[in-house]
Amino acid sequence: MYKALLQAEFLKIKRKWIWGLVFLGPFGVITLQAVNFGIRYDYLTDLYKDDLWDGLLKNISSLSVFALMFGATLLASLISSLEHQSTSWKHLLALPLSKTKIFIGKFALVFILLTVSCILLAIGSIILGISLNYGNDIPLVNLLKTCFYPYLASLPIVALQLWLSVVFNNQALPLFIGIVGSIFGSALPRWTIWSWPSLSNQWDKPIINVCLGIIVGLILLWISTIHFTRKDVNS
């Protein structure tokens, strides 16, 4: 059932620019860092001479966290808008599918699209590092942490943005919350979900943010699913 539901969801976005957004995020991050390292190659190479790959990945992470949260906001809004704009919620909910499966299917679609973005970011990071002559000894563990730890820590944001985007026909509020959270996330108190993708905490252990992101993300998904199943969607 979920397989057929996901196939239907992917069919809806087949000719939409949502796929362009999936590629644009990692492409933009890698391109900006390529320009950064290209212009300041000698300085940055000397600065990170003890561990060139680590320096590169830190710079990539500084941009990718914002791109990730901003991308999650836009994807959730765009995917929900497909139903709001075509006023197809009532038709969708009239199908012999539980509302639980419909909502989880939407979440799964956003999750898969963001996963693709993270994979592309990892591939782009490897290409950039090799192009900068930083060697073929790629720190795969550090690379995966850079690309996927912030993503896992941001799952509560993904669940929240999808919830808001589905519930509100007007996307102004969901977009406002997501954009403000993306911009000021690192400056917010560490207990707020928008600060978690930065992987900063008082124990200096990023894995804590990751675990919190997974646990709270699942809780928010559960709460939002229950709310969706009990609420009439006015489109």
Side-chain angles (χ1 to χ4, degrees), residues 1 49 72-73 80 83 90 99 101 109 121 163-165 171 191 207 218:
M1 181 63 73
K49 60 184 177 182
T73 298
S80 300
E83 310 295 350
K90 291 182 179 179
K99 295 176 77 173
K101 291 180 178 178
L109 177 62
L121 179 64
W163 186 8
L164 294 173
S165 297
Q171 295 298 295
W191 55 266
I207 192 64
L218 290 174

Side-chain angles (χ1 to χ4, degrees), residues 48-99:
Y48 301 122
K49 60 184 177 182
D50 293 334
D51 193 335
L52 294 173
W53 276 99
D54 183 66
L56 174 62
L57 293 176
K58 284 180 178 177
N59 278 267
I60 289 174
S61 179
S62 65
L63 289 177
S64 64
V65 170
F66 167 78
L68 172 66
M69 293 194 291
F70 187 66
T73 298
L74 290 181
L75 284 175
S77 179
L78 288 170
I79 288 171
S80 300
S81 293
L82 293 178
E83 310 295 350
H84 291 308
Q85 292 175 1
S86 61
T87 64
S88 62
W89 275 118
K90 291 182 179 179
H91 298 289
L92 180 61
L93 297 176
L95 296 174
L97 293 171
S98 69
K99 295 176 77 173

